[in-house]
Amino acid sequence: MWADNVTDKDFLGFDVHADLIKELLCDESLLPITIGLFGDWGSGKSSILETLKNKIDDPDNGTVCLYFNGWIFEGYDDAKAALLESIIKEFEDSKKFGEGLKENIGKLINSVDWMRAVGYGFKNIAVPVVSAYLTGGASLIPQLAQGLTSAAEKPEELLGKIKNGEAESFIKQFIKTPEKEKEISSIREFRNDFEELVENSKINKLVILVDDLDRCTPDRIVDNLEAIKLFLNVKNTAFVIGADPRIVRHAIEYRYNNQSFNSPDENKNDRIVNDYLEKLIQIPYNLPKLSDSEVETYITLLFCERDLDSNAFQKVINAFKLFKIKDRYSVFDYSNIQIVLDESELQQLSKSVSLISKLSPIITESLYGNPRQIKRFLNTFMLRKKLAKVANIDDFKDDILAKLMVLEYAELKLFEQLYKWQISQKGKPKELIEIENICEDKAKATSALNENYKLWNNYKVINWVKVAPKLSDFDLRDYFWLSRDKLSAIQSNTLVPPFIKSLLLKLEEELPGKLTKNIITEELIPLSSTEKELFFTLLSQQIISEPEKKRLYDIFNYSMDENINECIDIYINTISKIGRLVPPSIVESLKRFDNIPAINKILTKFNPSKKK
């Protein structure tokens, strides 16, 4: 298993990205600068920022690098002020920034407090601050206290309005809201004060790394970006912001949707978003997805980390770095590792070689070169592999589980559909055989799949089907049993025996009434009371997840007609939970059971004017 956290070990050759950004930061002529380190979730942004920090943080030579996780400020009413305050307070570290900064720091902290009071965090600060002031427990910020002098004669009214959510409109009548020019002047003063703080410190360059910004809400994302641009982007400073650009763009659109981005012309809206983003971030740097060779190398190094001791692993990492310098396009694989390690060091890793060779092509084809997805996939795979061993599953094959898991990760609906097919056909569905035969010829697959398998008509899915091994050659039941944690209620209820699931799947088909009754009479009624309860509980879960599916109600109705006692209470509870989502035709069909008091009560709720 592998820890899913930020690492300073470079398994991806990502040092090159950190080195490039370092070069930009070292160019004094570019300062102040804001760089956007852009990439998808899990693409390696945090690891690059960690590497970058280690490369450039050097207080003895005048460069200080601060790291902030943007998500930390998510819970603050005013994330903008929280970020500013956190950065300013870092200057209290005399070892990094030198002595004699107390006055500069205090002045800036007071400015941040004032920003909070007059508008940024108004609702959350108003109640405690004003309450304390009016009851004599504390003093207000001087500017706020002066403005509230006339209100202090009626504290009950003031506090009442604050607590009722009218804080801003009420208190602002006692505070002169700064005019636009005054606001701009305040921002300029703050920038000047912050620039002075940096100049008075012993450093000559301040680099601030902001990570996990894309985990924040849209307002918080824009708040942090604007705080950096408006207040902190001064001489001798640089910012590197790690984020998913799609989420940042969405945040800008969301924040200003009602003001600027409401044109019916989508191209115009895109231009506005792009222009705004360019004002906040001067240099965007987009991380590329991993190539096929990089994915295989990454998987190999992950297994090296797991299977080798620290000395042997460091030898491999050193060899990998030299290899990347000479050949950045090829796979760094087991053959390269054998050159630098002796047999005793390779003993454990050698057991993983065949697994690596089986997993690499499947993962490469389907997980789109995302390091975090690969690591999480491998962790889940190893956990299920251990479960297979504990459960004594015979003739277990790693590549079958891996291929099914790729479908589970990439196309969950198809994974569930394949589950339903195989459970009623003893693990070997005829539909899968047909799909695999169709996909043999990729050129014809698109048109052929359109007829009966529209959901499978996707080039990525077709590629997945073609990757070895062919699943139709194997009984899939054990492999789905290992993967049951990701399936929906009908599949994930591990207490339900397979024959009960199979019976429900059979009855779900749109069968004629006579045939449905025959199945209920011959297969459902003979079950024990406990087994029937499990069946109807499973049916209830399906209805709650798919309340529009009329066939599921029909199964209950046919069972009620056959006087199966175990279904009555479960059906009544199910209808009660769904309420108004029950289709009208089902409400109508319930009328034939209105002799049952509980059902009659339900019918009354649907149509109160027709009380029985």
Side-chain angles (χ1 to χ4, degrees), residues 504 534-544 552 555-556:
L504 179 54
L534 284 173
F535 174 87
F536 290 115
T537 299
L538 199 58
L539 176 57
S540 171
Q541 291 172 351
Q542 281 291 88
I543 290 178
I544 290 169
L552 300 174
I555 300 171
F556 261 122

Side-chain angles (χ1 to χ4, degrees), residues 437-450:
N437 289 336
I438 291 172
C439 292
E440 284 294 325
D441 186 343
K442 288 178 71 172
K444 296 179 180 178
T446 302
S447 57
L449 287 171
N450 263 332

